[in-house]
Amino acid sequence: MTTSGSGKFKHLTDRGEAGRRLAVLLLERGFDKPLVYAIPRGGVPVALIIAQALNAPLDLLPVCKLCIPGRSPSAFGALAEGVEEPLFNSVACTGLSKEAMSPVVARERSELARRVKLYFDGRDRLNPKDRTVILVDDGIATGITAYAALHALKQKGAARIILAVPIADDESRAMCQGLADEIVTADPGRRSFLIAALCGSEDQLSDSEMLAML
């Protein structure tokens, strides 16, 4: 999946700022022919700008959060394309029974399968094996979504993985450091573009909007 013009989308204002800041930082590092992977859906506007700046191909890596019943968007784990078993946040799982988690896992498995079919049906995919990969999202709250995506890229054989996000707190960074070779953050001093990612506001991309960007 390669980049083209992003068009005029209301969601690009702040995510676009994040993408531009991250692109500058990534260009300074001089990666040799990297691949860019976006975590749908919010990571796509950020990743588009990065991929265009680096003249790099772009692909998607679908991930579904496993939200704590009654406490969304707080998550106890995540499912990623290409990873058979869920990955759990051991702290968030405390006090949750298997009976409480199982329906959530089953529902999100179906949702992940739906997204994979919608996003990739008939489309060519990138192969990250032995390549430098830049994984992009529009922000990480608990870190479990990025962690699941990093795990998937490791399983696919990526040689080096750089996690690029607007900002990451210490806890999320610590969770991802074991799988990411480097974590690059924009940290622009203003967090308006993180509202959707961290607080689950209404500023969310739909599938159709995201696919139109590609």
Side-chain angles (χ1 to χ4, degrees):
M1 188 174 295
T2 57
T3 62
S4 59
S6 57
K8 298 291 185 180
F9 291 89
K10 62 182 179 179
H11 308 279
L12 285 176
T13 303
D14 291 331
R15 290 185 176 104
E17 177 188 342
R20 288 187 290 273
R21 290 175 181 269
L22 285 167
V24 170
L25 295 171
L26 293 164
L27 280 167
E28 290 173 350
R29 285 156 170 79
F31 297 118
D32 183 30
K33 298 180 180 178
L35 305 179
V36 177
Y37 279 81
I39 298 178
R41 293 180 288 260
V44 169
V46 185
L48 271 169
I49 292 171
I50 291 171
Q52 288 168 344
L54 273 61
N55 194 26
L58 172 67
D59 205 346
L60 306 179
L61 207 167
V63 180
C64 285
K65 285 197 302 185
L66 303 173
C67 292
I68 299 173
R71 290 174 56 191
S72 179
S74 298
F76 63 83
L79 288 163
E81 182 204 9
V83 180
E84 185 174 346
E85 295 299 323
L87 295 167
F88 295 106
N89 181 335
S90 58
V91 175
C93 284
T94 303
L96 287 176
S97 66
K98 184 177 180 179
E99 289 72 20
M101 292 188 289
S102 292
V104 179
V105 173
R107 182 176 67 247
E108 295 307 323
R109 278 195 194 279
S110 296
E111 172 61 15
L112 184 62
R114 183 196 70 82
R115 294 184 188 184
V116 169
K117 180 173 176 56
L118 176 64
Y119 298 166
F120 306 123
D121 192 17
R123 294 185 175 95
D124 292 334
R125 305 295 305 278
L126 298 179
N127 183 2
K129 184 174 175 59
D130 300 326
R131 298 290 297 272
T132 294
V133 173
I134 299 170
L135 176 67
V136 182
D137 203 357
D138 64 348
I140 50 177
T142 64
I144 190 62
T145 302
Y147 182 81
L150 289 166
H151 190 80
L153 288 171
K154 282 288 188 184
Q155 284 200 352
K156 293 174 185 288
R160 185 180 182 200
I161 307 174
I162 294 86
L163 175 62
V165 292
I167 198 167
D169 61 25
D170 291 341
E171 184 176 343
S172 298
R173 185 184 293 269
M175 176 181 290
C176 295
Q177 274 178 336
L179 292 174
D181 296 283
E182 186 176 356
I183 300 175
V184 177
T185 56
D187 194 13
R190 54 188 287 266
R191 302 189 178 194
S192 61
F193 57 80
L194 291 174
I195 292 175
L198 302 185
C199 303
S201 79
E202 68 279 3
D203 186 26
Q204 299 287 345
L205 285 168
S206 67
D207 284 327
S208 59
E209 285 178 309
M210 183 200 73
L211 291 173
M213 289 180 182
L214 300 171

